[in-house]
């Protein structure tokens, strides 16, 4: 079955569980709905790999913000209803399973009460999967024939505590605690005081199935120390009971079985994975050295390609902030939003504009109110949204040193007094150029250029190594994909022959289509 065959209904909300974090553990239905949705509301729990696969422009972040405040549940409920009523296909994405400590039940009730059609798409819950992938079965014929899932969020000494630790201590099965890293000392003590054997095995599994997965093991008495030694942080599950000790006996086998996960973690930390598989095409990617390059590497591996990560863009902050006397301030990137916050920018009465939802979300995450987002998320879309209102106004465009002239010219034509603040420069990282060497040696099968600057920086890196001509010849022989028309034009100006322009300007599309094209040759 092809996941893309399952289509979402307009006006419907899908309460989708994303599983513990490895994209391989998304359900087929979840994946299809994510591809088809008009808007995806999510927080951080689905994990960086799954979030990295989502199309930025269709995502809305509704989790905790940097300042600690979060979008309230009632605000989320209202947004779900509003989007559905506007005929959107809405995905509410939750880590694990939405109905396991995921407030999915409340969302379902609210939607039902408001007459909004919805569907529940179960996910693989971390409560079972995180222990499983490190070798802990939550039930076992010999040790545990029942399992309780409990929240560790509450203070066990609270008299009105919803969790009856005394009863759990007596019940005898496995106890899996979610949200229980911080209060681990409190509930392990409560269990001991209720008569549970202090030698009972306990395991903590942090970020199960994520590349940063960590485990700490001990007993009811020693686990707090083990937690601090390993440095376990949320999200993690605590498994209490004899099953926590079975891990040792299956570990050797599991480590082999889960080699793909281990490999991926290494690829993220140490650059390209060495592979002996001659069939996998080597594909150069030039995304910045942050989540974007790790996500690019993961995606290419999933496409059975051998990634050659060679970041060609790095951000160098100028520390500048927008002029304080502007009527409008326009932001065009998430990076810009983060940098003004870092520089302590405080807007006064300005109208704050964002080029698209990802920038708007980043601004909001920093605590700024966003007044305007255009219907089309491009520079010309912004001009269209502003041109009727900015005549005679002071407009501050706050962005990188490589912004397109379209925005400045369009706003000036509309009669605005335009000023540009360069918040950051996009520079070429010092040791970039590994992919140019591979190209020069004829060992690169494909390259994915994500902006004009990545093309220019690639060629600069080659020139610096005095292999510009050889690298160009290598690209000629390889499959060259570009993210959009402007990048194609820049490539053409520099004599780089482009084989394909992505059918949609997202990295995922570009990568998929480029890898596919290498297989057609
Ligand atoms: N609906 C989610 C649980 C949400 S409550 C599910 O079914 O998995 C949040 C808690 O889930 C975290 O505090 C942590 O205890 C657990 N959790 C979520 N993802 C996890 C992961 N990948 N590894 C370990 N614990 C995880």
């Amino acid at each position: 079955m092809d996941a893309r065959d399952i289509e979402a209904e307009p006006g419907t909300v899908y309460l989708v569980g994303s599983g513990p974090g490895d994209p391989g553990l998304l359900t087929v239905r979840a994946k299809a709905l994510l591809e088809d949705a008009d808007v995806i509301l999510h927080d951080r729990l689905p994990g960086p790999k799954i979030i990295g696969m989502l199309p930025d422009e269709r995502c809305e972040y509704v989790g905790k913000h940097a300042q600690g405040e979060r979008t309230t549940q009632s605000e989320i409920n209202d947004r779900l209803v509003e989007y559905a009523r506007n005929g959107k296909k809405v995905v509410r994405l939750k880590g694990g399973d939405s109905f396991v400590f995921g407030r999915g039940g409340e969302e379902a009730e609210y939607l039902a009460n408001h007459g909004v059609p919805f569907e529940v798409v179960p996910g693989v819950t971390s409560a079972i999967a995180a222990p499983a992938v490190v070798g802990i079965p939550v039930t076992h014929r010999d040790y545990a024939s029942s399992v309780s899932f409990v929240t560790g969020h509450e203070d066990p000494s609270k008299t009105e505590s919803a969790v009856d630790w005394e009863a759990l201590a007596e019940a005898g099965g496995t106890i899996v605690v979610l949200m229980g890293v911080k209060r681990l000392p409190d509930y392990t003590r409560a269990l001991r005081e209720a008569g549970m054997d202090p030698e009972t095995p306990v395991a903590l599994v942090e970020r199960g199935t994520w590349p940063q997965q960590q485990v700490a093991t001990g007993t009811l008495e020693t686990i707090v120390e083990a937690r601090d030694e390993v440095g376990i942080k949320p999200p993690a599950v605590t498994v209490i009971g004899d099953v926590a000790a079975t891990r040792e006996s299956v570990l050797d086998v599991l480590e082999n079985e889960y080699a793909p996960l281990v490999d991926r973690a290494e690829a993220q930390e140490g650059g390209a994975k060495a592979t002996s598989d001659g069939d996998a095409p080597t594909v150069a990617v030039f995304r910045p050295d942050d989540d974007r390059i790790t996500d690019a590497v993961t995606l290419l591996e999933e496409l059975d390609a051998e990634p050659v990560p060679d970041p060609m863009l790095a951000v160098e902050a100028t520390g500048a902030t927008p002029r304080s006397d502007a009527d409008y301030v326009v932001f065009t990137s998430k990076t810009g939003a983060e940098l003004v916050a870092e520089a302590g920018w405080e807007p006064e009465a300005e109208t704050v504009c964002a080029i698209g939802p990802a920038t708007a979300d980043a601004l909001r995450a920093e605590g700024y109110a966003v007044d305007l987002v255009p219907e089309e998320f491009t520079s010309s879309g912004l001009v269209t949204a502003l041109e009727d209102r900015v005549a005679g106004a002071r407009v501050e465009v706050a962005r990188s040193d490589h912004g397109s002239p379209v925005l400045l010219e369009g706003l000036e034509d509309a009669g605005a007094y335009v000023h540009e603040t360069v918040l950051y420069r996009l520079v070429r990282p010092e040791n970039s150029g590994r992919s140019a060497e591979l190209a020069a040696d004829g060992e690169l099968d494909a390259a994915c250029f994500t902006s004009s600057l990545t093309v220019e920086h690639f060629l600069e890196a080659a020139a610096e190594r005095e292999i510009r001509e050889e690298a160009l010849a290598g690209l000629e022989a390889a499959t060259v994909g570009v993210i959009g028309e402007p990048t194609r034009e820049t490539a053409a100006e520099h004599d780089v022959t482009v084989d394909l322009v992505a059918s949609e300007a997202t990295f995922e599309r570009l990568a998929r289509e480029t890898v596919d094209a290498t297989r057609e040759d």
Side-chain angles (χ1 to χ4, degrees), residues 19-21 45 94-102 124-127 130 177-180 205-210 234-238:
L45 201 58
K94 290 315 254 310
D97 182 282
S98 317
F99 278 16
V100 179
F101 297 119
V124 174
T125 180
S126 68
V177 187
L178 287 87
M179 299 173 279
V205 186
E206 175 188 337
R207 294 188 272 190
T209 81
W210 299 25
V237 296
T238 313

Side-chain angles (χ1 to χ4, degrees), residues 226-242:
R227 172 196 71 179
D228 297 340
E229 218 160 84
V230 178
I232 298 279
K233 296 174 293 301
V237 296
T238 313
V239 188
I240 303 168
D242 290 337

